[in-house]
Amino acid sequence: MISKIFIALLAIVSAAPFRDSYENGRLEKRLDNGLGKTPALGWNGWNQGQCNAATASTALNTAKAFVSLGLKDLGYLYVNIDDCWASKARDSAGNLVPDPAKWPNGIKAVTDQIHDMGLKMGLYGDAGRETCGGYPGSQGHEVQDGKTLASWGVDYWKYDNCYTGTGFNNAGANTSTYYPTMRDSLLNSGRPIFFSMCQWGRDNVWIWGGSVGNSWRMSDDIQNNWGSVASIAAKAATIAQYAAPGGFNDLDMMQLGNGKLSGNEERAHFGLWAIAKSPIIMGTDMTKLATSTLEIIKNKGILSIHQDPLGKAATTFQPSGAAAPSGSSLYPYWAGPLSDGIVIGLIAVDKAGNYSVNFSDVPGLGNGSFSWAEFYSGKTANGTSASFELGLHDMAVIKVNKSAV
Ligand SMILES: *[C@@H]1O[C@H](CO)[C@@H](O)[C@H](O)[C@H]1NC(C)=O
Ligand SMILES: *[C@@H]1O[C@H](CO)[C@@H](O)[C@H](O)[C@H]1NC(C)=O
Ligand SMILES: *[C@@H]1O[C@H](CO)[C@@H](O)[C@H](O)[C@H]1NC(C)=O
Ligand SMILES: *[C@@H]1O[C@H](CO)[C@@H](O)[C@H](O)[C@H]1NC(C)=O
Ligand SMILES: *[C@@H]1O[C@H](CO)[C@@H](O)[C@H](O)[C@H]1NC(C)=O
Ligand SMILES: *[C@@H]1O[C@H](CO)[C@@H](O)[C@H](O)[C@H]1NC(C)=O
């Protein structure tokens, strides 16, 4: 009898969707649906082709590319469809319906194939009356839509914020009051579904997002230019402490491969998103990747930083003698803890030059000689400092072993 009660209790405890944590000195209930222990890795069609990428054939071609390019084996698992996959009207029972021209065999036939390849499938919805593109929103249909997603085998749900107030993007209320409705629907849907909150960084979402979603956008949409990449990263440095296993700041989808960023800027974009522990969701045609871009996104050292089980995000530190970070412009010096070391990021933010770091300035290190590796150049050494010649907007990503040699 006692053991039965004990087993029943254990079952309740292990099924509990929340767990306590004491981040920032106060007790928070963090969502614990078993997902997003490390930041998500995958692709989303929006930056590639907006509505035109929301088709079965694009999803399947992307999935095949993940396998053939070796990206699946490196952890890129999520194949995520964005807005415009649905028909404009729900069916007579109020269910979402895939657009038959884009999904001739429905969604489930595609998720089944994607699962057979060892990958995961994501879809997109909206907390308001309509999605941003004018397709049915989930407002008032949250429970039904969660069940529909589960029945299709969907693994990831990006949830946008259009038409929740009177117009396109003026949310009607504090988003913290209605995002939990969809969280609860997904938790009760019968399938573990990653909850990707896309409310554009409103209402200090980083403070409460960890109790609602597996990731939360912390800014407006990323644009395809360096200024946008740099300003999002600068803001991320100010909210790094809110990232933890199960819930991460989402710096938005990648612009690598979209023709506007230089090679240096692609390296910095990828390196910053990795050390900030943002989801890395590629946003380009994966069947047409340049070799130079593919080389960046397959960097095993940087992926190991991104997927480090400690799940803490790097932020800026001020070396002695350097100007202080401003918070609104990108700062050259970043560092953060890893389960087995320290990561340092150096970014040539406004000019090419020699960028160096004295390890004694880095939080978590100190006086002494340390062994380190830089992952874009492959350089390794022991020493009290490290120095790199970087072109404009290039980045060095250095992992340092905390034990002095
Ligand atoms: C919205 O609610 C959250 C959680 O209670 C709170 O932290 C935040 O400050 C609110 N935002 C606004 C703009 O009122
Ligand atoms: C970096 O330092 C090296 C070695 O001192 C020097 O040759 C090079 O010109 C420097 N590069 C820049 C961009 O200042
Ligand atoms: C590292 O320390 C040396 C002196 O020990 C100093 O000249 C140099 O500016 C420091 N470099 C950085 C990046 O702080
Ligand atoms: C490193 O050594 C300097 C000079 O001896 C000392 O002032 C500083 O506090 C030391 N830093 C650490 C982190 O031990
Ligand atoms: C760093 O020092 C360690 C311990 O002495 C040594 O095993 C290692 O080979 C050195 N690494 C480099 C890159 O010099
Ligand atoms: C760090 O250095 C220690 C001592 O040399 C070594 O045992 C350990 O394996 C190193 N860790 C990593 C991650 O390289």
Side-chain angles (χ1 to χ4, degrees):
M1 191 61 189
I2 285 176
S3 67
K4 266 190 188 157
I5 289 168
F6 183 66
I7 287 165
L9 269 176
L10 257 187
I12 289 165
V13 168
S14 59
F18 299 97
R19 79 198 127 86
D20 296 339
S21 71
Y22 289 92
E23 274 130 41
N24 319 310
R26 67 193 186 88
L27 182 65
E28 284 180 50
K29 296 275 184 196
R30 283 185 77 96
L31 175 63
D32 189 7
N33 56 4
L35 303 172
K37 298 292 185 196
T38 59
L41 272 171
W43 167 93
N44 170 295
W46 190 256
N47 289 349
Q48 171 180 333
Q50 287 81 44
C51 283
N52 293 334
T55 66
S57 61
T58 311
L60 289 168
N61 288 338
T62 303
K64 287 175 196 153
F66 271 9
V67 174
S68 65
L69 295 172
L71 292 167
K72 178 195 128 181
D73 291 338
L74 290 169
Y76 289 85
L77 295 184
Y78 287 105
V79 175
N80 294 345
I81 291 297
D82 209 277
D83 202 359
C84 313
W85 59 268
S87 295
K88 286 265 168 145
R90 291 174 179 269
D91 70 13
S92 57
N95 296 308
L96 290 169
V97 180
D99 180 335
K102 297 173 180 171
W103 304 85
N105 304 309
I107 302 281
K108 182 155 193 312
V110 176
T111 34
D112 286 347
Q113 285 181 75
I114 286 178
H115 290 162
D116 286 348
M117 291 185 236
L119 298 168
K120 295 178 184 296
M121 168 78 175
L123 270 188
Y124 163 101
D126 189 285
R129 301 177 298 284
E130 292 176 18
T131 69
C132 299
Y135 295 84
S138 290
Q139 193 177 82
H141 291 273
E142 291 89 349
V143 172
Q144 180 173 22
D145 291 353
K147 294 213 178 339
T148 300
L149 298 175
S151 76
W152 289 342
V154 169
D155 303 296
Y156 184 114
W157 181 238
K158 173 179 172 182
Y159 203 46
D160 219 334
N161 195 29
C162 281
Y163 299 107
T164 51
T166 51
F168 178 74
N169 67 352
N170 58 337
N174 191 319
T175 53
S176 71
T177 61
Y178 55 84
Y179 267 73
T181 312
M182 195 72 216
R183 168 200 64 195
D184 294 341
S185 161
L186 297 178
L187 283 173
N188 294 322
S189 70
R191 183 176 178 82
I193 299 177
F194 186 108
F195 191 29
S196 162
M197 301 164 64
C198 179
Q199 47 75 290
W200 320 316
R202 303 269 170 100
D203 306 321
N204 301 319
V205 61
W206 38 88
I207 292 174
W208 51 270
S211 67
V212 182
N214 297 111
S215 63
W216 47 89
R217 284 275 306 283
M218 41 60 77
S219 68
D220 287 332
D221 288 4
I222 190 172
Q223 305 298 313
N224 188 13
N225 61 67
W226 171 251
S228 175
V229 169
S231 76
I232 292 174
K235 182 172 176 186
T238 68
I239 54 173
Q241 69 269 31
Y242 299 107
F248 294 96
N249 294 311
D250 180 352
L251 280 57
D252 205 2
M253 302 171 297
M254 311 307 281
Q255 293 287 5
L256 279 85
N258 289 335
K260 289 278 167 60
L261 300 179
S262 68
N264 291 351
E265 291 166 350
E266 290 203 336
R267 274 190 291 278
H269 180 12
F270 188 75
L272 281 162
W273 266 233
I275 69 173
K277 304 291 155 77
S278 171
I280 291 182
I281 303 293
M282 293 297 292
T284 194
D285 187 339
M286 301 303 287
T287 67
K288 294 182 178 154
L289 278 182
T291 314
S292 56
T293 302
L294 189 58
E295 199 180 307
I296 293 169
I297 71 170
K298 291 183 79 170
N299 188 300
K300 284 188 181 160
I302 295 176
L303 288 169
S304 77
I305 301 290
H306 184 245
Q307 295 296 304
D308 181 67
L310 187 65
K312 288 210 178 284
T315 185
T316 53
F317 70 92
Q318 184 181 359
S320 44
S326 77
S328 60
S329 51
L330 186 57
Y331 193 68
Y333 303 100
W334 292 58
L338 301 171
S339 61
D340 61 351
I342 298 284
V343 65
I344 300 172
L346 295 179
I347 306 111
V349 295
D350 52 18
K351 57 177 189 304
N354 287 307
Y355 286 78
S356 53
V357 56
N358 292 327
F359 295 143
S360 60
D361 285 334
V362 176
L365 296 175
N367 292 327
S369 186
F370 299 93
S371 110
W372 56 266
E374 198 288 316
F375 291 127
Y376 282 132
S377 61
K379 253 167 100 175
T380 61
N382 294 324
T384 57
S385 66
S387 188
F388 304 90
E389 186 169 359
L390 297 176
L392 180 65
H393 300 164
D394 206 351
M395 179 171 183
V397 180
I398 307 133
K399 179 174 174 179
V400 186
N401 188 326
K402 273 200 292 192
S403 322
V405 293

